[in-house]
C-alpha cells in the first residue's frame, strides 16, 4: 500500500530529524556552522508524507533562533524566531493561549533585544508573558525571562 509506505518513510524521517536535533544540542558554542548544517538537514526531514511541516519543525526553528542569538546574529535570530512563532500559531489548539506561541514571541523579543530595539523587545515580551504565565506558570524560566524583558 503506497499510503503505508509513505507513512513509514515520514516516521523514519521524524526519527532521523530528532537525532539531528539532539546532535545539534551537543555542539559546542564555537561550532555554530556545524549546528546550522545539522538544523538544515533536520528541517529537510521534518515533513509528513504529503510534504507539510510536522510539529518537529517548530523545534528546528526554536533551536535555530537560539543558535543565532548565541552567535550574535540578531537578523538571523529574528528570522528563525519569526518562523518558530508562525509554526506555533499554526499548530496551537488555541493560538490565544499557547506556551508554544509564547515561546515564539519570547524568541522574537530576545532577537529584538539583540538588535537594540528596546520598544519591540518590551512589547513582544509582554505578549509572550500572557501566554507563558497562563500555560506554564509564573515561576517557569521562560516566564521569568519574559517578565525581565518586559520590564526593560
Amino acid at each position: 500500500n503506497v499510503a503505508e509506505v509513505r507513512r513509514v518513510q515520514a516516521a523514519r524521517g521524524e526519527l532521523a530529524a530528532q537525532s539531528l536535533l539532539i546532535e545539534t544540542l551537543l555542539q559546542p558554542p564555537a561550532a555554530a556552522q556545524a549546528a546550522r548544517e545539522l538544523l538544515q538537514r533536520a528541517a529537510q526531514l521534518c515533513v509528513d508524507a504529503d510534504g507539510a511541516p510536522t510539529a518537529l519543525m517548530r523545534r528546528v526553528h526554536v533551536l535555530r533562533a537560539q543558535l543565532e542569538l548565541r552567535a550574535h546574529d540578531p537578523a538571523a535570530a529574528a528570522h528563525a524566531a519569526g518562523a518558530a512563532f508562525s509554526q506555533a500559531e499554526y499548530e496551537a489548539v488555541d493560538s490565544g493561549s499557547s506556551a508554544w506561541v509564547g515561546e515564539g514571541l519570547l524568541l522574537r523579543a530576545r532577537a529584538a533585544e539583540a538588535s537594540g530595539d528596546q520598544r519591540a523587545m518590551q512589547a513582544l515580551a509582554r505578549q509572550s508573558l500572557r501566554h507563558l504565565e497562563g500555560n506554564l506558570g509564573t515561576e517557569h524560566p521562560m516566564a521569568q525571562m519574559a517578565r525581565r524583558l518586559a520590564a526593560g
Side-chain angles (χ1 to χ4, degrees):
N1 173 327
V2 173
E4 181 64 17
V5 169
R6 289 175 68 197
R7 189 190 65 71
V8 169
Q9 289 173 334
R12 285 185 185 150
E14 279 284 300
L15 290 173
Q18 289 175 353
S19 177
L20 289 168
L21 291 179
I22 291 168
E23 191 176 341
T24 299
L25 291 171
L26 297 174
Q27 294 296 311
Q33 188 54 40
R36 284 182 189 100
E37 291 168 9
L38 289 168
L39 288 172
Q40 181 62 34
R41 288 176 36 210
Q44 293 169 350
L45 297 169
C46 292
V47 293
D48 65 17
D50 296 320
T54 66
L56 196 52
M57 185 66 82
R58 182 185 54 79
R59 292 301 318 153
V60 169
H61 294 311
V62 166
L63 288 175
R64 181 64 185 257
Q66 292 170 341
L67 168 69
E68 299 304 352
L69 285 166
R70 282 193 312 271
H72 306 290
D73 188 342
H79 179 75
F85 171 74
S86 295
Q87 187 71 27
E89 275 196 318
Y90 173 76
E91 294 173 11
V93 173
D94 176 3
S95 63
S97 177
S98 164
W100 293 346
V101 169
E103 181 181 38
L105 288 164
L106 179 58
L107 286 168
R108 290 177 62 199
R110 291 179 60 203
E113 176 187 39
S115 68
D117 188 344
Q118 289 292 109
R119 186 182 312 166
M121 174 197 74
Q122 288 178 303
L124 289 162
R126 281 192 296 273
Q127 290 175 24
S128 74
L129 194 56
R130 181 174 51 88
H131 290 275
L132 296 170
E133 285 185 341
N135 289 282
L136 302 176
T138 60
E139 298 306 312
H140 191 278
M142 283 194 293
Q144 291 177 352
M145 180 182 288
R147 196 174 311 106
R148 180 183 61 77
L149 293 177

